[in-house]
Amino acid sequence: MREKILTAIDKNSKLTAKDLAIMLGSTEEEVTSTLKQLEEEHIICGYPTLINWDKVQCERVTALIEVKVTPQRGLGFDKIAERIYKFDEVQSVYLMSGGFDLTVIIEGKTMREVANFVAAKLAPMDAILSTATHFVLKKYKEHGLPLVEPKQDERMLISP
């Protein structure tokens, strides 16, 4: 039942315990208890809202930063990742395979603000070897949900 609850709320965190119980053929008490347990175990870490900021009159810049680091002895990448994710600008940090070690996703009001974050806070850290910043130009899909409305075919039908 835990996996079914997680799958359901992953797409819609507004589902109530009552809704989930009906969907899963369970009781509201069982669902509430399971949700509480999942939160206590930090399997459920929060209930964020997905917002299409492109439709709001609010300027935001999202950047993906590739980071190469020197892992710390005995701690690996965890300690440096922790130092990075504590910055308010940082939205996500991922350990990667391939040509770089960490992916850092940040948001700022302007490209200059993002550049200042990289230059003043991220790049000077002792373990950081190099960074490469990529700016997001348009988001089409996030958290498995499309952010763009499907285009309607405006061509006229021709029938024989």
Side-chain angles (χ1 to χ4, degrees), residues 36-54:
K36 185 175 187 231
Q37 185 179 16
L38 290 166
E39 289 168 355
E40 288 171 356
E41 294 174 19
H42 292 281
I43 293 171
I44 296 176
C45 300
Y47 299 89
T49 302
L50 178 60
I51 298 170
N52 186 349
W53 288 104
D54 288 344

Side-chain angles (χ1 to χ4, degrees), residues 8-138:
I9 65 172
D10 186 42
K11 296 292 183 210
N12 183 1
S13 64
K14 289 180 73 173
L15 291 172
T16 64
K18 184 178 180 180
D19 294 335
L20 288 165
I22 293 168
M23 289 170 57
L24 303 174
S26 183
T27 67
E28 191 173 339
E29 291 77 23
E30 283 180 305
V31 169
T32 302
S33 171
T34 303
L35 284 169
K36 185 175 187 231
Q37 185 179 16
L38 290 166
E39 289 168 355
E40 288 171 356
E41 294 174 19
H42 292 281
I43 293 171
I44 296 176
C45 300
Y47 299 89
T49 302
L50 178 60
I51 298 170
N52 186 349
W53 288 104
D54 288 344
K55 292 190 171 193
V56 179
Q57 298 300 320
C58 171
E59 285 299 316
R60 286 179 175 246
V61 175
T62 302
L64 181 149
I65 306 165
E66 299 174 357
V67 183
K68 290 184 184 181
V69 302
T70 302
Q72 295 180 333
R73 182 166 298 182
L75 300 173
F77 296 99
D78 295 345
K79 195 66 176 171
I80 188 68
E82 181 181 349
R83 285 184 59 204
I84 293 170
Y85 73 63
K86 286 185 175 181
F87 289 113
D88 290 336
E89 299 90 340
V90 174
Q91 301 298 308
S92 305
V93 178
Y94 304 105
L95 179 63
M96 306 297 292
S97 64
F100 55 95
D101 303 306
L102 298 173
T103 295
V104 178
I105 311 281
I106 72 164
E107 284 189 356
K109 292 179 183 172
T110 64
M111 287 186 181
R112 181 178 303 279
E113 188 176 290
V114 171
N116 287 340
F117 169 80
V118 174
K121 295 181 181 178
L122 188 61
M125 295 173 83
D126 291 337
I128 305 291
L129 298 174
S130 68
T131 65
T133 303
H134 307 275
F135 289 98
V136 174
L137 301 178
K138 183 174 182 176

Side-chain angles (χ1 to χ4, degrees), residues 138 140 146-155:
K138 183 174 182 176
Y140 294 98
L147 296 175
V148 293
E149 296 174 22
K151 298 264 186 197
Q152 296 292 329
D153 190 357
E154 296 179 9
R155 296 178 291 177

